[in-house]
Amino acid sequence: MSVEAYLNFNGNCREVVEHYADVFGTDKPRFMTFGDVPADPAYPVPEEAKSMIMHSRLKIGGSTVMFSDVFPGMPFVQGTNISLAYVEEDREKLERAFNRLQDGGQVIMPLQETFWSKLYGSVTDRFDIQWQFNLGIGEW
């Protein structure tokens, strides 16, 4: 069983996914756009939506994270309803990802030892997504 986060963006999903793929060193991402959907005359896809991302996903630290742009006209609230926890056994990988995500973002808690982890920190990245970083799973 797994828990997978699904993140929605307001037209910049491709940029987000490509950035995260680079930060975490994943396989090259694949994208399905709204324009890739089989045409249905009853529900035409507006021209401005055809290049927007309908679905993409990345394997980050053994977990799947899914992404999409919101369809034009649908409600969108950026970054207020989710944080992602990145648990890594390799200190160097954890520090590298933390340092890269803080570029253009804001550190909430610098990487430091806590009672539950040898190294923990949190950062809100340049896309307004909050990330938590944990070295190993600890005792909790």
Side-chain angles (χ1 to χ4, degrees), residues 19 21-25 94-105 123 125-126 133:
H19 178 68
D22 181 52
V23 166
F24 294 105
L94 184 101
E95 289 173 338
R96 182 174 51 245
F98 183 91
N99 291 334
R100 292 186 75 186
L101 279 182
Q102 72 177 327
D103 183 25
V123 62
D125 70 20
R126 70 183 194 196
F133 288 79

Side-chain angles (χ1 to χ4, degrees), residues 37-132:
V37 175
D40 181 343
Y43 302 99
V45 175
E47 200 58 42
E48 70 271 16
K50 288 184 179 179
S51 64
M52 294 174 73
I53 305 304
M54 181 177 171
H55 181 74
S56 187
R57 68 175 161 206
L58 296 174
K59 278 287 206 189
I60 300 174
S63 296
T64 299
V65 181
M66 297 176 286
F67 307 83
S68 79
D69 282 315
V70 295
F71 197 78
M74 298 298 290
F76 175 76
V77 178
Q78 184 172 337
T80 60
N81 62 337
I82 192 165
S83 71
L84 299 175
Y86 181 58
V87 179
E88 175 60 61
E89 298 295 331
D90 184 317
R91 183 183 192 101
E92 186 177 311
K93 284 183 182 179
L94 184 101
E95 289 173 338
R96 182 174 51 245
F98 183 91
N99 291 334
R100 292 186 75 186
L101 279 182
Q102 72 177 327
D103 183 25
Q106 179 183 359
V107 174
I108 306 302
M109 181 177 176
L111 288 172
Q112 59 193 276
E113 188 169 346
T114 65
F115 70 89
W116 68 87
S117 177
K118 294 288 184 193
L119 195 62
Y120 173 84
S122 65
V123 62
T124 299
D125 70 20
R126 70 183 194 196
F127 302 107
D128 211 20
I129 301 299
Q130 186 177 356
W131 291 83
Q132 300 178 56

